[in-house]
Amino acid sequence: MLEFLNIKIEVERLSNILGKAEDCLDLQYLTARIQYLDQVIAQRDFWNNPTLAYETLQEIEYSIFYKHQQYQRWCSILEDIKAALELLELSADEQLWQEAQTNLTQLQQELETAEIRQLLSDPHDKKAALLTITAEVDNADSQHWAYMLLQMYWRWGKSHNYQVDVVEISEGNEGGIKYATLEITARCAYGYLKSETGTHQLQQISPFDVTNTLRTSLASVQVIPILGESVEWEIPEKDLEITWPRYRGNVNRTETWVKMVHIPTGISVSSNQQRSQMQNKEKALAILKSKLFAMSTTGYAYALAQSVQQIDQIQPRQIKSLSNKLIREYILHPYTKVKDLRTNVETPAAAAVLKGEIDLFIKAYLQQ
């Protein structure tokens, strides 16, 4: 009975949230905006400006699927829950009870995600993201910790139904990784994950030490937006070193991977997820542009914007990184706790966090 009352209270809370969301969405405005953008697309010169065309299509997709239709769907789920509760008050039905609980959990999760999305205001927040994890020390413990983080972010992305791909990876000696880069393709992926940039510290009994020694391991995380077609500047060909697979006459084992190095900075990217070499080359170039554009003001993008001619003189040591600041502690022994050092948000559910449940940290960071 108490659980039933708690669900009714939660349903009322979610009803209030959706009521406020309707005021924020201004559905009449969204409908008018979509109609206007449809007229823009119909113009003959629409595709003459690819960047503007891309941004227009992105706005329509977001307005329709992430605002207008999503809101209608939430209202429908809520009405189904209310109807189920009314029937359950008259007669117990285990199957209907389980269905109502499942719908409620789903609605809670989706509204939580939508609430976080409302906190994203930076122009790049709506972009997809590249997330790179690097073991800070060349030993088994740090490489194992880097692999644990790779799994955590992979699970986080999959739990949100995002497309997650490994762009590049360098495996360690004992099952861990030296570094890896994930491409997380979803609207606002960068806005959510930018909070993860920094050094992550793990305290646990080393699985590689027979004496059960308590070890501290460090791994850095860097998150940058994938700028894609919104990046209009080009990288001079003389600044690129491109490596292709060498064919040995075996047509049954065609390799399509491409490795690309930006000579002035030493930044290296690779792509092997696409079907052709040309597609992999385009993907690698897009990733490289994003990495260069995300540099600090001592980097390539700043020099380019200032029309600096001696871009070749930029060295990797000049590239400042935010990933060297300790932002979060993960303690697995002698007790369990994960604490964000910027927001002081913490939880004893370390196992759940390592399975990808990091939204509480993301939300707290964005609110701060």
Side-chain angles (χ1 to χ4, degrees), residues 55-304:
E55 293 175 350
T56 301
L57 294 175
Q58 286 283 298
E59 183 181 351
I60 290 178
E61 180 185 7
Y62 181 61
S63 296
I64 294 176
F65 295 105
Y66 290 93
K67 286 189 175 181
H68 196 281
Q69 291 186 2
Q70 189 70 291
Y71 172 78
Q72 300 292 350
R73 179 172 163 276
W74 289 334
C75 289
S76 177
I77 293 175
L78 188 61
E79 290 305 314
D80 287 344
I81 297 172
K82 289 179 178 179
L85 293 179
E86 290 178 0
L87 292 174
L88 288 168
E89 285 184 315
L90 299 174
S91 175
D93 185 322
E94 182 62 27
Q95 183 177 351
L96 187 60
W97 171 248
Q98 292 296 333
E99 183 180 330
Q101 288 182 310
T102 300
N103 286 338
L104 181 63
T105 300
Q106 178 184 350
L107 186 58
Q108 287 173 321
Q109 291 174 345
E110 292 188 13
L111 288 179
E112 175 75 11
T113 300
E115 187 178 358
I116 295 175
R117 185 181 290 133
Q118 293 299 318
L119 301 173
L120 306 179
S121 57
D122 186 273
H124 293 322
D125 283 348
K126 298 174 184 177
K127 307 291 186 182
L130 287 172
L131 185 147
T132 300
I133 304 160
T134 306
E136 288 293 277
V137 181
D138 188 18
N139 62 31
D141 286 296
S142 290
Q143 292 172 6
H144 178 62
W145 173 224
Y147 180 68
M148 290 171 66
L149 287 175
L150 176 66
Q151 290 183 308
M152 183 180 79
Y153 291 118
W154 178 279
R155 290 166 176 165
W156 176 85
K158 290 299 183 180
S159 70
H160 288 75
N161 296 319
Y162 296 161
Q163 180 179 332
V164 184
D165 296 300
V166 177
V167 175
E168 54 184 341
I169 188 168
S170 175
E171 297 181 357
N173 299 323
E174 298 186 56
I177 59 169
K178 296 179 181 179
Y179 66 85
T181 298
L182 292 177
E183 179 182 14
I184 303 176
T185 307
R187 188 178 179 86
C188 299
Y190 172 71
Y192 298 141
L193 289 172
K194 65 183 180 182
S195 63
E196 299 304 294
T197 293
T199 297
H200 297 241
Q201 176 178 287
L202 172 69
Q203 178 180 300
Q204 70 167 356
I205 297 294
S206 172
F208 305 99
D209 192 330
V210 295
T211 62
N212 293 329
T213 304
L214 188 65
R215 293 283 179 84
T216 297
S217 304
L218 298 173
S220 64
V221 175
Q222 183 188 39
V223 184
I224 63 172
I226 299 177
L227 303 182
E229 297 181 31
S230 63
V231 179
E232 295 182 342
W233 48 268
E234 298 297 330
I235 303 174
E237 289 188 12
K238 65 182 180 64
D239 290 347
L240 293 176
E241 178 182 297
I242 302 175
T243 305
W244 312 76
R246 294 182 179 180
Y247 294 109
R248 302 182 184 276
N250 188 346
V251 295
N252 294 321
R253 295 187 59 188
T254 302
E255 295 183 89
T256 62
W257 60 264
V258 173
K259 181 179 179 181
M260 190 174 295
V261 178
H262 183 249
I263 298 172
T265 62
I267 291 179
S268 173
V269 301
S270 59
S271 175
N272 60 6
Q273 302 297 314
Q274 308 302 314
R275 294 184 177 181
S276 69
Q277 281 189 339
M278 187 56 63
Q279 289 174 324
N280 275 317
K281 179 183 177 183
E282 292 173 356
K283 172 65 71 175
L285 186 60
I287 294 171
L288 181 59
K289 283 185 176 182
S290 295
K291 287 193 172 188
L292 292 171
F293 200 83
M295 285 182 184
S296 61
T297 54
T298 58
Y300 179 81
Y302 178 77
L304 187 66

